[in-house]
Coordinates of all heavy atoms in Angstrom, one line a residue:
H8 N 39.6 198.4 -220.2 CA 39.1 197.7 -221.4 C 38.4 196.5 -220.9 O 38.9 195.4 -220.7 CB 40.3 197.3 -222.3 CG 41.1 198.5 -222.6 ND1 41.0 199.2 -223.8 CD2 42.1 199.2 -222.0 CE1 41.8 200.2 -223.9 NE2 42.5 200.2 -222.8
G9 N 37.1 196.6 -220.8 CA 36.3 195.5 -220.4 C 36.2 195.4 -218.9 O 36.8 196.1 -218.2
C10 N 35.5 194.4 -218.5 CA 35.2 194.2 -217.1 C 35.4 192.7 -216.8 O 35.0 191.9 -217.6 CB 33.8 194.6 -216.8 SG 33.2 194.3 -215.2
P11 N 36.0 192.4 -215.6 CA 36.2 191.0 -215.3 C 34.9 190.3 -214.8 O 34.9 189.5 -213.9 CB 37.3 191.1 -214.2 CG 37.0 192.4 -213.5 CD 36.6 193.3 -214.6
L12 N 33.8 190.6 -215.4 CA 32.5 190.1 -215.1 C 32.5 188.6 -215.4 O 33.0 188.1 -216.4 CB 31.4 190.7 -216.0 CG 30.0 190.4 -215.6 CD1 29.7 191.0 -214.2 CD2 29.1 191.0 -216.6
S13 N 32.0 187.8 -214.4 CA 32.1 186.3 -214.5 C 30.7 185.8 -214.6 O 29.7 186.5 -214.4 CB 32.8 185.8 -213.3 OG 31.9 186.0 -212.1
D14 N 30.6 184.5 -214.9 CA 29.3 183.8 -215.0 C 28.5 183.9 -213.6 O 27.3 184.1 -213.6 CB 29.5 182.3 -215.2 CG 30.1 182.0 -216.6 OD1 29.9 182.9 -217.5 OD2 30.6 180.9 -216.8
S15 N 29.2 183.8 -212.5 CA 28.6 183.8 -211.2 C 28.0 185.2 -210.9 O 26.9 185.4 -210.3 CB 29.5 183.4 -210.1 OG 30.6 184.2 -210.0
Q16 N 28.7 186.3 -211.4 CA 28.2 187.6 -211.2 C 26.9 187.8 -212.1 O 26.0 188.5 -211.7 CB 29.3 188.6 -211.5 CG 30.3 188.6 -210.5 CD 31.6 189.4 -210.9 OE1 32.0 189.3 -212.1 NE2 32.1 190.2 -210.0
V17 N 26.9 187.3 -213.3 CA 25.8 187.5 -214.2 C 24.6 186.7 -213.6 O 23.5 187.1 -213.7 CB 26.1 187.0 -215.6 CG1 24.8 187.0 -216.5 CG2 27.1 187.9 -216.3
A18 N 24.9 185.5 -213.0 CA 23.9 184.7 -212.3 C 23.1 185.4 -211.3 O 21.9 185.1 -211.0 CB 24.5 183.4 -211.8
Q19 N 23.7 186.5 -210.7 CA 22.9 187.3 -209.7 C 21.8 188.0 -210.3 O 20.9 188.5 -209.6 CB 23.9 188.2 -209.0 CG 24.9 187.5 -208.2 CD 26.0 188.4 -207.5 OE1 25.7 189.6 -207.4 NE2 27.1 187.8 -207.2
L20 N 21.8 188.1 -211.6 CA 20.7 188.8 -212.4 C 19.5 187.9 -212.6 O 18.4 188.4 -213.1 CB 21.2 189.3 -213.7 CG 22.4 190.3 -213.6 CD1 22.9 190.6 -215.1 CD2 22.0 191.6 -213.0
K21 N 19.6 186.6 -212.3 CA 18.5 185.7 -212.6 C 17.2 186.2 -212.1 O 17.1 186.7 -211.0 CB 18.8 184.3 -211.9 CG 19.4 183.3 -212.8 CD 19.5 182.0 -212.0 CE 20.4 181.1 -212.8 NZ 20.7 179.9 -212.2
G22 N 16.2 186.1 -212.9 CA 14.8 186.4 -212.6 C 14.5 187.9 -212.7 O 13.4 188.3 -212.5
S23 N 15.5 188.7 -213.1 CA 15.3 190.2 -213.2 C 14.2 190.4 -214.3 O 14.2 189.8 -215.4 CB 16.5 190.9 -213.7 OG 16.2 192.2 -214.0
R24 N 13.2 191.1 -213.9 CA 12.1 191.4 -214.8 C 12.2 192.7 -215.6 O 11.4 193.0 -216.4 CB 10.8 191.3 -214.1 CG 10.6 190.0 -213.4 CD 9.1 189.6 -213.3 NE 8.9 188.3 -212.8 CZ 8.9 187.2 -213.4 NH1 9.2 187.2 -214.7 NH2 8.7 186.0 -212.9
S25 N 13.2 193.5 -215.3 CA 13.4 194.8 -216.0 C 14.6 194.9 -216.9 O 14.6 195.8 -217.7 CB 13.4 195.9 -214.9 OG 14.5 195.7 -214.1
L26 N 15.5 193.9 -216.8 CA 16.7 194.0 -217.7 C 16.3 193.7 -219.1 O 15.8 192.6 -219.4 CB 17.7 193.0 -217.2 CG 19.1 193.0 -217.8 CD1 19.7 194.4 -217.5 CD2 19.9 191.9 -217.3
R27 N 16.5 194.6 -220.0 CA 16.1 194.5 -221.4 C 17.3 194.2 -222.3 O 17.2 193.6 -223.3 CB 15.4 195.7 -221.9 CG 14.1 196.0 -221.1 CD 13.0 196.4 -222.0 NE 11.8 196.7 -221.3 CZ 10.9 195.8 -221.0 NH1 11.0 194.6 -221.4 NH2 9.8 196.1 -220.3
W28 N 18.5 194.7 -221.9 CA 19.7 194.5 -222.7 C 20.9 194.3 -221.8 O 20.9 194.8 -220.7 CB 20.0 195.6 -223.8 CG 20.3 196.9 -223.2 CD1 19.5 197.9 -222.9 CD2 21.6 197.4 -222.9 NE1 20.2 199.0 -222.4 CE2 21.5 198.7 -222.4 CE3 22.9 196.9 -223.1 CZ2 22.6 199.5 -222.1 CZ3 24.0 197.7 -222.7 CH2 23.8 198.9 -222.2
L29 N 21.9 193.5 -222.3 CA 23.1 193.2 -221.5 C 24.3 193.2 -222.5 O 24.2 192.5 -223.5 CB 22.9 191.8 -220.9 CG 23.9 191.4 -219.9 CD1 24.0 192.4 -218.7 CD2 23.5 190.0 -219.4
D30 N 25.3 193.9 -222.1 CA 26.5 194.0 -222.9 C 27.6 193.1 -222.2 O 28.1 193.5 -221.1 CB 27.0 195.4 -223.0 CG 28.2 195.6 -223.8 OD1 28.9 194.6 -224.2 OD2 28.6 196.7 -224.1
L31 N 27.8 192.0 -222.8 CA 28.8 191.0 -222.2 C 30.2 191.1 -222.9 O 31.0 190.3 -222.7 CB 28.3 189.6 -222.2 CG 27.1 189.4 -221.4 CD1 26.5 187.9 -221.6 CD2 27.4 189.6 -219.9
S32 N 30.3 192.1 -223.8 CA 31.5 192.2 -224.5 C 32.7 192.5 -223.6 O 32.6 193.2 -222.6 CB 31.4 193.3 -225.6 OG 31.2 194.6 -225.0
K33 N 33.8 192.0 -223.9 CA 35.1 192.1 -223.2 C 35.0 191.7 -221.7 O 35.6 192.3 -220.9 CB 35.6 193.6 -223.3 CG 35.9 193.9 -224.8 CD 36.4 195.3 -224.9 CE 36.7 195.6 -226.3 NZ 37.1 197.0 -226.6
T34 N 34.1 190.7 -221.5 CA 34.0 190.2 -220.1 C 34.7 188.8 -220.1 O 35.2 188.3 -221.1 CB 32.6 190.0 -219.7 OG1 31.9 189.1 -220.5 CG2 31.8 191.4 -219.7
R35 N 34.6 188.1 -219.0 CA 35.2 186.8 -218.9 C 34.1 185.7 -218.7 O 34.4 184.6 -218.1 CB 36.2 186.8 -217.7 CG 37.3 187.7 -217.9 CD 38.2 187.8 -216.7 NE 39.1 188.9 -216.9 CZ 40.4 188.7 -217.1 NH1 40.9 187.5 -217.1 NH2 41.2 189.7 -217.3
V36 N 33.0 185.9 -219.2 CA 31.9 184.9 -219.1 C 32.2 183.7 -220.0 O 33.0 183.8 -221.0 CB 30.5 185.4 -219.3 CG1 30.2 186.5 -218.3 CG2 30.4 186.0 -220.7
T37 N 31.6 182.6 -219.8 CA 31.7 181.4 -220.6 C 30.3 181.0 -221.2 O 29.3 181.7 -221.0 CB 32.2 180.2 -219.8 OG1 31.2 179.8 -218.8 CG2 33.5 180.5 -219.0
S38 N 30.3 180.0 -222.0 CA 29.1 179.5 -222.6 C 28.0 179.2 -221.5 O 26.8 179.3 -221.8 CB 29.3 178.2 -223.4 OG 30.1 178.5 -224.5
A39 N 28.4 179.0 -220.3 CA 27.4 178.7 -219.2 C 26.5 179.9 -218.9 O 25.4 179.8 -218.4 CB 28.1 178.3 -217.9
V40 N 27.0 181.1 -219.3 CA 26.2 182.3 -219.0 C 24.8 182.3 -219.7 O 23.9 182.9 -219.2 CB 27.0 183.6 -219.5 CG1 26.9 183.8 -221.0 CG2 26.4 184.8 -218.8
F41 N 24.7 181.5 -220.8 CA 23.4 181.4 -221.5 C 22.3 180.8 -220.6 O 21.1 181.0 -220.8 CB 23.6 180.8 -222.8 CG 24.3 181.7 -223.8 CD1 25.6 181.4 -224.1 CD2 23.7 182.8 -224.3 CE1 26.3 182.2 -225.0 CE2 24.4 183.6 -225.2 CZ 25.7 183.3 -225.5
E42 N 22.7 179.9 -219.7 CA 21.7 179.4 -218.7 C 21.0 180.5 -217.9 O 19.8 180.5 -217.7 CB 22.4 178.4 -217.8 CG 22.9 177.1 -218.5 CD 23.6 176.2 -217.6 OE1 23.3 176.2 -216.4 OE2 24.4 175.4 -218.1
T43 N 21.8 181.4 -217.5 CA 21.3 182.6 -216.8 C 20.4 183.4 -217.7 O 19.3 183.9 -217.3 CB 22.4 183.5 -216.2 OG1 23.1 182.7 -215.2 CG2 21.8 184.7 -215.5
L44 N 20.9 183.7 -218.9 CA 20.2 184.5 -219.8 C 18.8 184.0 -220.1 O 17.9 184.7 -220.4 CB 21.0 184.8 -221.1 CG 22.3 185.5 -220.9 CD1 22.9 185.7 -222.3 CD2 22.2 186.7 -220.1
Q45 N 18.7 182.7 -220.1 CA 17.4 182.0 -220.3 C 16.3 182.5 -219.2 O 15.1 182.4 -219.5 CB 17.5 180.5 -220.2 CG 18.4 179.9 -221.2 CD 17.6 179.5 -222.5 OE1 16.5 179.9 -222.7 NE2 18.2 178.6 -223.3
E46 N 16.8 182.9 -218.1 CA 16.0 183.2 -217.0 C 15.8 184.7 -216.8 O 15.5 185.2 -215.7 CB 16.5 182.6 -215.7 CG 16.5 181.1 -215.8 CD 16.9 180.4 -214.5 OE1 16.4 180.9 -213.5 OE2 17.6 179.4 -214.6
L47 N 16.0 185.4 -217.9 CA 15.7 186.9 -217.9 C 14.6 187.2 -218.9 O 14.8 187.4 -220.0 CB 17.0 187.6 -218.3 CG 18.2 187.4 -217.4 CD1 19.4 188.1 -218.0 CD2 17.9 188.0 -216.0
P48 N 13.3 187.1 -218.4 CA 12.2 187.2 -219.2 C 12.0 188.5 -220.1 O 11.4 188.5 -221.1 CB 11.0 187.1 -218.3 CG 11.5 187.5 -216.9 CD 13.0 187.1 -216.9
S49 N 12.6 189.6 -219.6 CA 12.5 190.8 -220.4 C 13.7 191.1 -221.3 O 13.7 192.1 -222.0 CB 12.4 192.0 -219.4 OG 11.2 191.9 -218.6
L50 N 14.7 190.2 -221.3 CA 15.9 190.5 -222.1 C 15.5 190.5 -223.6 O 14.8 189.6 -224.0 CB 16.9 189.4 -221.8 CG 18.3 189.5 -222.5 CD1 19.0 190.8 -221.9 CD2 19.1 188.3 -222.3
R51 N 15.9 191.5 -224.3 CA 15.7 191.6 -225.7 C 16.9 191.7 -226.6 O 16.9 191.5 -227.8 CB 14.8 192.8 -226.0 CG 13.4 192.7 -225.4 CD 12.6 191.5 -226.0 NE 11.3 191.2 -225.4 CZ 11.1 190.3 -224.5 NH1 12.0 189.6 -224.0 NH2 9.9 190.2 -224.0
Q52 N 18.0 192.0 -225.9 CA 19.3 192.2 -226.7 C 20.5 191.8 -225.8 O 20.5 192.3 -224.7 CB 19.4 193.6 -227.3 CG 20.6 193.7 -228.2 CD 20.6 195.1 -228.8 OE1 19.6 195.8 -228.9 NE2 21.8 195.5 -229.3
V53 N 21.4 191.1 -226.4 CA 22.6 190.8 -225.7 C 23.8 190.9 -226.7 O 23.7 190.5 -227.8 CB 22.6 189.4 -225.0 CG1 22.4 188.3 -226.0 CG2 23.8 189.2 -224.1
L54 N 24.9 191.6 -226.2 CA 26.0 191.8 -227.0 C 27.1 190.8 -226.5 O 27.5 190.9 -225.3 CB 26.5 193.2 -226.9 CG 27.7 193.6 -227.7 CD1 27.5 193.4 -229.2 CD2 28.1 195.1 -227.5
V55 N 27.7 190.0 -227.3 CA 28.7 189.0 -226.9 C 30.0 189.2 -227.7 O 30.8 188.2 -227.8 CB 28.2 187.6 -227.0 CG1 27.0 187.3 -226.0 CG2 27.7 187.2 -228.4
T56 N 30.3 190.4 -228.2 CA 31.5 190.6 -228.9 C 32.7 190.5 -228.1 O 32.8 191.1 -227.0 CB 31.4 192.0 -229.6 OG1 30.3 192.1 -230.3 CG2 32.6 192.2 -230.5
S57 N 33.8 189.9 -228.5 CA 35.1 189.8 -227.9 C 35.0 189.3 -226.4 O 35.8 189.8 -225.6 CB 35.7 191.2 -227.9 OG 35.8 191.7 -229.2
I58 N 34.2 188.4 -226.2 CA 34.3 187.7 -224.9 C 35.6 186.9 -224.8 O 35.9 186.2 -225.7 CB 33.0 186.8 -224.6 CG1 31.8 187.7 -224.6 CG2 33.2 186.0 -223.4 CD1 30.5 186.9 -224.4
A59 N 36.3 187.2 -223.7 CA 37.6 186.6 -223.6 C 38.0 186.3 -222.2 O 37.6 186.9 -221.3 CB 38.7 187.5 -224.2
N60 N 38.9 185.3 -222.1 CA 39.5 185.1 -220.8 C 40.9 185.8 -220.7 O 41.1 186.6 -221.6 CB 39.7 183.6 -220.5 CG 40.7 182.9 -221.4 OD1 41.5 183.5 -222.0 ND2 40.6 181.6 -221.4
G61 N 41.7 185.6 -219.8 CA 42.9 186.3 -219.6 C 43.9 186.3 -220.8 O 44.6 187.2 -221.0
D62 N 43.8 185.3 -221.6 CA 44.8 185.2 -222.7 C 44.1 185.5 -224.1 O 44.5 185.2 -225.1 CB 45.4 183.8 -222.8 CG 44.5 182.7 -223.1 OD1 43.3 183.0 -223.2 OD2 44.9 181.5 -223.2
D63 N 42.9 186.2 -224.0 CA 42.2 186.7 -225.1 C 41.6 185.6 -226.0 O 41.3 185.9 -227.2 CB 43.0 187.7 -226.0 CG 43.3 189.0 -225.3 OD1 42.4 189.4 -224.4 OD2 44.3 189.6 -225.6
S64 N 41.5 184.4 -225.5 CA 40.8 183.4 -226.3 C 39.3 183.3 -226.0 O 38.9 183.6 -224.9 CB 41.5 182.0 -226.1 OG 41.3 181.6 -224.7
R65 N 38.5 183.0 -227.0 CA 37.1 183.0 -226.8 C 36.6 181.9 -225.9 O 36.9 180.8 -226.1 CB 36.4 182.9 -228.1 CG 34.9 183.3 -228.1 CD 34.5 183.5 -229.6 NE 33.0 183.5 -229.6 CZ 32.4 184.7 -229.6 NH1 33.0 185.8 -229.5 NH2 31.0 184.7 -229.7
E66 N 35.8 182.2 -224.9 CA 35.3 181.3 -223.9 C 33.8 180.9 -224.2 O 33.3 180.0 -223.6 CB 35.4 181.8 -222.5 CG 36.8 181.8 -222.0 CD 37.4 180.4 -221.8 OE1 36.7 179.5 -221.2 OE2 38.5 180.1 -222.3
V67 N 33.2 181.7 -225.1 CA 31.8 181.4 -225.4 C 31.8 180.8 -226.8 O 32.3 181.4 -227.8 CB 30.9 182.7 -225.4 CG1 29.6 182.4 -226.0 CG2 30.9 183.2 -224.0
S68 N 31.3 179.6 -226.9 CA 31.4 178.9 -228.2 C 30.3 179.4 -229.2 O 29.2 179.8 -228.7 CB 31.2 177.4 -228.0 OG 29.9 177.1 -227.6
E69 N 30.6 179.3 -230.4 CA 29.6 179.7 -231.4 C 28.4 178.8 -231.3 O 27.2 179.3 -231.5 CB 30.2 179.5 -232.8 CG 31.3 180.6 -233.1 CD 30.7 182.0 -233.1 OE1 29.6 182.2 -233.6 OE2 31.5 182.9 -232.6
E70 N 28.6 177.5 -231.0 CA 27.4 176.6 -230.8 C 26.5 177.1 -229.7 O 25.3 177.0 -229.8 CB 27.9 175.2 -230.5 CG 28.7 174.5 -231.6 CD 30.2 175.0 -231.7 OE1 30.7 175.5 -230.7 OE2 30.8 174.7 -232.7
A71 N 27.1 177.6 -228.6 CA 26.3 178.1 -227.5 C 25.5 179.3 -227.9 O 24.3 179.4 -227.5 CB 27.1 178.4 -226.3
V72 N 26.1 180.2 -228.6 CA 25.4 181.3 -229.1 C 24.2 180.9 -230.0 O 23.1 181.4 -229.9 CB 26.3 182.3 -229.9 CG1 25.6 183.4 -230.6 CG2 27.4 182.8 -228.9
E73 N 24.5 180.0 -231.0 CA 23.4 179.6 -231.9 C 22.3 178.8 -231.1 O 21.1 179.0 -231.5 CB 24.0 178.7 -233.0 CG 24.8 179.4 -234.0 CD 24.0 180.6 -234.6 OE1 22.8 180.4 -235.0 OE2 24.5 181.7 -234.6
R74 N 22.6 178.0 -230.2 CA 21.6 177.3 -229.4 C 20.7 178.4 -228.7 O 19.5 178.2 -228.6 CB 22.2 176.4 -228.3 CG 22.5 175.0 -228.9 CD 22.8 174.0 -227.8 NE 23.8 174.5 -226.8 CZ 25.1 174.3 -226.9 NH1 25.6 173.7 -228.0 NH2 26.0 174.8 -226.0
F75 N 21.3 179.4 -228.1 CA 20.6 180.4 -227.4 C 19.7 181.2 -228.4 O 18.5 181.4 -228.1 CB 21.5 181.4 -226.7 CG 20.8 182.4 -225.9 CD1 20.2 182.1 -224.7 CD2 20.6 183.7 -226.4 CE1 19.5 183.1 -224.0 CE2 19.9 184.7 -225.7 CZ 19.4 184.4 -224.5
R76 N 20.2 181.5 -229.5 CA 19.4 182.2 -230.6 C 18.2 181.4 -230.9 O 17.1 182.0 -231.0 CB 20.3 182.5 -231.8 CG 21.1 183.6 -231.7 CD 21.8 183.9 -233.1 NE 22.5 185.1 -233.1 CZ 23.8 185.3 -233.4 NH1 24.5 184.2 -233.9 NH2 24.4 186.4 -233.3
K77 N 18.4 180.1 -231.2 CA 17.2 179.3 -231.6 C 16.2 179.1 -230.5 O 15.0 179.1 -230.8 CB 17.7 177.9 -232.1 CG 18.5 178.0 -233.4 CD 19.0 176.6 -233.8 CE 19.7 176.7 -235.1 NZ 20.3 175.5 -235.6
S78 N 16.6 179.0 -229.3 CA 15.7 178.8 -228.2 C 15.1 180.1 -227.7 O 14.1 180.1 -226.9 CB 16.3 178.0 -227.1 OG 17.4 178.7 -226.5
N79 N 15.6 181.2 -228.1 CA 15.2 182.5 -227.6 C 15.0 183.5 -228.8 O 15.8 184.5 -228.8 CB 16.1 183.1 -226.6 CG 16.2 182.2 -225.3 OD1 15.4 182.3 -224.4 ND2 17.2 181.3 -225.3
P80 N 14.1 183.3 -229.7 CA 14.0 184.1 -230.9 C 13.7 185.6 -230.6 O 13.9 186.5 -231.4 CB 13.0 183.4 -231.7 CG 12.2 182.6 -230.8 CD 13.2 182.2 -229.7
R81 N 13.2 185.8 -229.4 CA 12.8 187.2 -229.0 C 14.0 188.1 -228.7 O 13.9 189.3 -228.6 CB 11.8 187.2 -227.8 CG 12.5 186.9 -226.5 CD 11.6 186.8 -225.3 NE 12.3 186.7 -224.1 CZ 13.1 185.8 -223.6 NH1 13.3 184.7 -224.4 NH2 13.7 185.8 -222.5
V82 N 15.2 187.4 -228.4 CA 16.4 188.1 -228.0 C 17.3 188.3 -229.2 O 17.7 187.3 -229.9 CB 17.1 187.3 -226.9 CG1 18.4 188.1 -226.5 CG2 16.2 187.1 -225.7
V83 N 17.7 189.5 -229.5 CA 18.7 189.7 -230.5 C 20.1 189.5 -229.9 O 20.4 190.2 -228.9 CB 18.6 191.2 -231.1 CG1 19.7 191.5 -232.1 CG2 17.2 191.4 -231.7
V84 N 20.9 188.7 -230.5 CA 22.2 188.4 -230.0 C 23.2 189.0 -231.1 O 23.2 188.6 -232.2 CB 22.5 186.9 -229.9 CG1 23.9 186.6 -229.4 CG2 21.5 186.3 -228.9
K85 N 24.0 189.9 -230.6 CA 25.0 190.5 -231.5 C 26.4 190.0 -231.1 O 26.8 190.1 -230.0 CB 25.0 192.0 -231.4 CG 23.6 192.6 -231.9 CD 23.7 194.1 -231.9 CE 22.4 194.6 -232.5 NZ 22.4 196.1 -232.6
D86 N 27.1 189.4 -232.1 CA 28.4 188.9 -231.8 C 29.4 189.5 -232.8 O 29.1 190.3 -233.6 CB 28.5 187.4 -231.8 CG 27.9 186.8 -233.0 OD1 27.5 187.4 -233.9 OD2 28.0 185.5 -233.1

């Protein structure tokens, strides 16, 4: 159920020119992941449903999601 994907693992995708969508649901990323997503020029959709740490509490703030949406209108963010 989900993957223990972390911010540092997502950071390895920085600069990818072919990545169009990314499913971060049920991972352990934090709001910091949006810094990496800013550097994915082809990204068009990201799914951030049920992002959780070990105790199932949300690690990605609604504010971070909204900031990313506003600064990246080309990317559809589904939460």
Side-chain angles (χ1 to χ4, degrees):
H8 303 263
C10 173
L12 190 66
S13 68
D14 293 340
S15 62
Q16 290 167 316
V17 175
Q19 294 175 21
L20 301 172
K21 261 185 193 175
S23 170
R24 300 209 177 276
S25 60
L26 187 65
R27 300 220 182 270
W28 67 271
L29 186 60
D30 183 350
L31 296 174
S32 60
K33 298 182 182 175
T34 64
R35 296 175 188 250
V36 297
T37 68
S38 294
V40 76
F41 290 107
E42 292 177 27
T43 297
L44 299 185
Q45 297 270 17
E46 298 188 38
L47 298 172
S49 297
L50 188 66
R51 293 298 176 261
Q52 184 173 341
V53 62
L54 181 61
V55 295
T56 306
S57 302
I58 292 177
N60 66 18
D62 64 0
D63 291 333
S64 64
R65 193 166 170 95
E66 287 292 312
V67 173
S68 70
E69 291 297 322
E70 295 82 14
V72 172
E73 285 307 311
R74 276 194 307 273
F75 182 79
R76 278 186 173 129
K77 287 180 181 176
S78 63
N79 297 278
R81 74 185 193 291
V82 181
V83 175
V84 180
K85 295 185 176 184
D86 56 357

